[in-house]
Amino acid sequence: MTKHDELLTVRQVLQELGGVSRRTFYRWREIGKAPDGIRLPNGELRIYRSELNVWLESLREVA
């Protein structure tokens, strides 16, 4: 995470992933196969762009 790292909504993350369904994303989170995120006080989930990029890069390395 950088000082000015962007926080993405789940909707934005799903768009970045090319339209992955919300259900699939949350299933990945349940089994530990999704990028780390933070819960805001209102209960909404946010993902740091840097965490998403690291996660995507890890998938590329495996492939």
Side-chain angles (χ1 to χ4, degrees):
M1 174 179 66
T2 64
K3 185 175 179 182
H4 298 289
D5 204 354
E6 180 181 13
L7 280 172
L8 302 173
T9 64
V10 171
R11 172 179 267 166
Q12 289 171 310
V13 171
L14 297 178
Q15 289 172 342
E16 292 273 333
L17 297 176
V20 170
S21 75
R22 183 176 291 270
R23 179 183 168 130
T24 296
F25 179 76
Y26 280 104
R27 191 171 341 119
W28 289 346
R29 284 187 49 81
E30 287 175 11
I31 63 173
K33 301 290 185 181
D36 292 332
I38 62 168
R39 285 253 177 232
L40 299 178
N42 66 2
E44 292 183 13
L45 180 66
R46 294 290 187 272
I47 309 294
Y48 281 105
R49 179 169 294 283
S50 62
E51 291 291 330
L52 177 62
N53 291 339
V54 166
W55 179 73
L56 288 171
E57 187 59 34
S58 73
L59 294 177
R60 181 179 292 157
E61 291 171 4
V62 171

